[in-house]
Amino acid sequence: GPHIASVTLAAYECGSTDFPEPPYPDQIVCPQEGVVEGSVSLLSIMSKVRLEACMWGAGTAIGELPPYFMARAARQSGADPDDEDYEEFEEMLEQAEGAQDFASRAKLGVQHLVQKVGFFGILACASIPNPLFDLAGIHCGHFLVPFWTFFGATLIGKAIIKMHIQKLFVIVTFSKHIV
């Protein structure tokens, strides 16, 4: 985010995106010759930060793996149904069925989306900024969703779809007319 913001600010200050590619020095140096004023567009800035933003999204997708692996390992370990954590998880699922509050209904919605829709449900959850995606990872691990189904949908959702949404938001927020 901060990198995208600094490139956006520099592009509008320089009037161009022709400054050097990463790694940048301590400051971004504007080109001296051949600068056409007003040649900065939303698409040119998006192109300039595409690789960094994609890596940002891939990093967030990798960061979603621990809840998935923990839940999967717990399920595959042959946990005894008398186990407190397992009972607590089952109880949470049962309580969510009859609950009317938004948080419980949202948790139940994520569970149904992941179980019923599979890859596209995971993709939908990963594509929008939401705090419940860890819960989707836990559900996927618990219900033994195959790794590549979970990670593929998460990677596409976070590194392609969500990354473009966030990148666009940061660029627009730090654009010349708003700043």
Side-chain angles (χ1 to χ4, degrees):
H3 173 72
I4 296 169
S6 68
V7 169
T8 302
L9 292 171
Y12 284 112
E13 182 180 321
C14 294
S16 170
T17 57
D18 291 335
F19 39 86
E21 293 294 321
Y24 296 111
D26 293 335
Q27 60 184 1
I28 296 174
V29 180
C30 296
Q32 296 301 320
E33 71 279 337
V35 175
V36 178
E37 193 63 36
S39 64
V40 176
S41 69
L42 183 68
L43 291 176
S44 66
I45 297 171
M46 287 179 77
S47 299
K48 185 75 172 176
V49 295
R50 181 181 302 125
L51 179 64
E52 295 87 352
C54 188
M55 293 298 111
W56 174 28
T60 60
I62 291 169
E64 300 297 346
L65 293 178
Y68 169 81
F69 283 128
M70 294 297 288
R72 186 177 181 88
R75 178 70 183 260
Q76 289 180 329
S77 70
D80 185 14
D82 295 333
D83 182 71
E84 286 181 33
D85 293 334
Y86 185 79
E87 286 179 5
E88 187 178 313
F89 179 74
E90 291 293 327
E91 187 176 307
M92 189 260 319
L93 291 177
E94 288 173 13
Q95 287 176 353
E97 291 286 340
Q100 296 299 319
D101 63 298
F102 177 75
S104 296
R105 288 188 2 239
K107 289 176 186 176
L108 188 62
V110 168
Q111 177 198 353
H112 286 301
L113 188 65
V114 167
Q115 279 185 296
K116 304 253 189 284
V117 185
F119 180 88
F120 293 105
I122 299 166
L123 180 67
C125 287
S127 298
I128 55 173
N130 71 65
L132 296 175
F133 193 74
D134 283 340
L135 186 62
I138 292 169
H139 281 293
C140 287
H142 178 76
F143 294 112
L144 302 177
V145 171
F147 171 75
W148 288 110
T149 301
F150 173 74
F151 187 64
T154 303
L155 187 64
I156 292 168
K158 293 211 176 271
I160 297 174
I161 300 169
K162 183 179 173 188
M163 174 271 297
H164 278 92
I165 295 168
Q166 290 177 317
K167 179 171 64 168
L168 187 63
F169 176 78
V170 172
I171 291 171
V172 168
T173 302
F174 287 90
S175 65
K176 188 176 186 176
H177 68 281
I178 292 179
V179 171

